[in-house]
């Protein structure tokens, strides 16, 4: 069954005290209407190039939800398939002082409105960029915590992973009854790493299909695309996130194939990739390790 949730139903903190907007059964789909990361407050631009932005820098990254999935219990895994991402007709991109890797060059926050026409982002009168929509925030609620929607971790959250496109399936470890899942922060297009802490931020409609898996266990978010198996880790430093996403991939291959550790290491270094999701955050960095399915299937890998 397909349900719909308006962007009027949302939150800024993952918290098990949040009342669910909707209760669904495993196998159901939900269309989430999402706001842009600045809560749709900047919708007009007066100058040709960009304007100075005034907005609440605390309550950003609104998440639509939460949704309670019947039968989801702590220790289970939530399987979430992104069935559709449908952008609205405009987006916004910002440049914020002190944020990102070049923030010290700026003394104020600026923004520009980028219309979306014919699946293209109209960056300015010179350039149009093909849309490549992705979901920035998708997660479940962590047990006993009150977590800002800007953050991410084992519960998912603001992972800003450019591989989170239509057609992929994300797996998240469940910590609270019902999972209490939500999504938001859709990007019309984003470069890996989100170097200045802003993508081309777009209000959108996101359709997700939910299932509860009781036959698998995971420690961190895992992503399955058509071509790749992906392990994801968020840690205080990039080095730690690279290390742990790599070690998670190594562990999965070791547990689900008959390859020796030496062979796994050789295979991973031959065709695996360390890639960046979030590199601009001050508190943490998120990295992923990707392996192509064509190789994993040769060795009987079937973890999911």
């Amino acid at each position: 069954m397909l349900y719909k949730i308006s962007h009027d139903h949302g939150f800024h903190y993952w918290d098990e005290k949040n009342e669910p907007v909707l209760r669904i059964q495993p196998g159901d789909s939900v269309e989430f209407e999402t706001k842009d990361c600045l809560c749709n407050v900047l919708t007009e631009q007066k100058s040709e190039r960009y304007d100075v932005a005034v907005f609440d820098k605390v309550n950003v990254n609104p998440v639509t939800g939460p949704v309670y999935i019947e039968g989801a219990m702590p220790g289970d895994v939530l399987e979430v398939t992104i069935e559709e991402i449908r952008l609205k007709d405009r987006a916004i991109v910002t440049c914020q002082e002190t944020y990102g890797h070049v923030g010290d060059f700026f003394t104020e926050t600026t923004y520009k409105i980028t219309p979306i026409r014919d699946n293209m982002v109209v960056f300015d009168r010179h350039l149009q960029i093909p849309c490549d929509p992705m979901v920035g925030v998708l997660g479940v609620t962590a047990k006993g915590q009150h977590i800002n929607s800007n953050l991410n971790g084992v519960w998912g959250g603001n992972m800003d992973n450019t591989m989170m496109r239509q057609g992929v399936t994300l797996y998240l470890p469940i910590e609270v009854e019902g999972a209490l899942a939500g999504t938001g922060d859709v990007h019309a297009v984003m470069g890996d790493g989100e170097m200045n802490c802003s993508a081309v931020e777009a209000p959108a409609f996101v359709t997700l299909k939910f299932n509860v898996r009781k036959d698998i266990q995971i420690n961190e978010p895992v992503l399955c695309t058509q071509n790749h198996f992906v392990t994801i880790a968020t840690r205080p430093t990039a080095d730690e996130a690279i290390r742990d996403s790599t070690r998670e991939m190594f562990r999965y291959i070791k547990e689900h194939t008959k390859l020796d550790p030496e062979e796994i290491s050789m295979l991973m270094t031959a065709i695996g990739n360390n890639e960046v999701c979030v590199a601009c955050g001050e508190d943490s960095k998120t990295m992923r390790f990707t392996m192509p399915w064509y190789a994993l299937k040769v060795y009987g890998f079937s973890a999911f």
Side-chain angles (χ1 to χ4, degrees), residues 163-165 167-169 223-230 293:
M163 299 184 84
M164 293 276 290
R165 301 184 179 103
V168 307
T169 299
L223 187 66
C224 292
T225 76
Q226 181 177 357
N227 297 317
H228 292 90
F229 179 70
V230 185
W293 280 116

Side-chain angles (χ1 to χ4, degrees), residues 1-277:
M1 185 173 292
L2 175 64
Y3 297 90
K4 297 185 179 183
I5 302 178
S6 163
H7 63 199
D8 295 328
H9 300 285
F11 58 90
H12 291 279
Y13 287 86
W14 302 94
D15 194 313
E16 58 189 314
K17 295 178 182 178
N18 291 338
E19 287 294 325
V21 176
L22 180 67
R23 289 175 176 259
I24 65 171
Q25 296 292 327
D28 287 340
S29 296
V30 181
E31 179 189 85
F32 296 78
E33 183 183 25
T34 63
K35 296 179 180 179
D36 67 38
C37 74
L38 302 182
C39 301
N40 293 356
V41 298
L42 300 175
T43 59
E44 297 181 355
Q45 180 179 327
K46 296 179 181 178
S47 66
E48 180 181 354
R49 298 174 69 185
Y50 51 81
D51 283 355
V52 175
V54 178
F55 61 93
D56 181 355
K57 293 186 179 181
V58 176
N59 291 315
V60 296
N61 267 10
V63 182
T64 303
V67 171
Y68 184 106
I69 298 92
E70 298 288 352
M73 299 298 292
D76 296 342
V77 173
L78 189 65
E79 178 184 275
V80 189
T81 299
I82 303 176
E83 295 189 310
E84 183 181 35
I85 304 172
R86 193 167 79 254
L87 302 173
K88 294 189 178 182
D89 62 359
R90 61 103 192 150
I92 183 172
V93 59
T94 69
C95 173
Q96 302 183 47
E97 81 279 13
T98 74
Y99 280 77
H101 302 300
V102 294
D104 57 311
F105 281 81
F106 315 112
T107 58
E108 57 189 4
T109 294
T110 53
Y111 73 95
K112 69 189 309 175
I113 301 296
T114 57
I116 297 175
R117 302 186 189 126
D118 299 323
N119 205 37
M120 302 289 285
V121 173
V122 183
F123 188 76
D124 56 27
R125 61 191 179 91
H126 305 288
L127 177 66
Q128 295 190 26
I129 304 170
C131 290
D132 190 9
M134 51 154 290
V135 175
V137 173
L138 204 171
V140 294
T141 298
K143 177 69 175 177
Q145 299 189 58
H146 183 70
I147 301 172
N148 190 283
S149 58
N150 268 322
L151 303 178
N152 57 318
V154 296
W155 66 92
N158 189 25
M159 294 182 289
D160 282 334
N161 185 338
T162 55
M163 299 184 84
M164 293 276 290
R165 301 184 179 103
Q166 184 170 304
V168 307
T169 299
L170 178 68
Y171 296 85
L172 296 166
I174 296 172
E175 295 188 18
V176 301
E177 184 177 328
L180 297 180
T183 191
D185 189 32
V186 172
H187 302 155
V189 65
M190 187 190 95
D192 282 334
E194 198 181 35
M195 56 77 66
N196 83 341
C197 298
S198 173
V200 180
E201 312 281 350
F205 295 95
V206 180
T207 302
L208 304 177
K209 183 176 182 178
F210 296 94
N211 275 296
V212 177
R213 298 288 299 271
K214 297 180 181 291
D215 58 325
I216 57 176
Q217 289 187 330
I218 61 175
N219 301 318
E220 310 269 358
V222 172
L223 187 66
C224 292
T225 76
Q226 181 177 357
N227 297 317
H228 292 90
F229 179 70
V230 185
T231 49
I232 304 165
T234 299
R235 297 293 185 271
T237 69
D239 283 349
E240 290 172 291
I242 291 169
R243 177 199 65 199
D244 289 352
S245 60
T246 303
R247 290 177 68 88
E248 273 294 278
M249 181 64 74
F250 184 91
R251 182 181 68 82
Y252 277 115
I253 299 175
K254 186 174 183 293
E255 290 181 359
H256 296 281
T257 72
K258 295 182 180 180
L259 291 172
D260 293 333
E262 292 82 0
E263 294 174 300
I264 297 170
S265 178
M266 293 175 190
L267 179 64
M268 288 176 62
T269 202
I271 56 174
N273 289 303
N274 291 115
E275 299 173 354
V276 60
C277 297

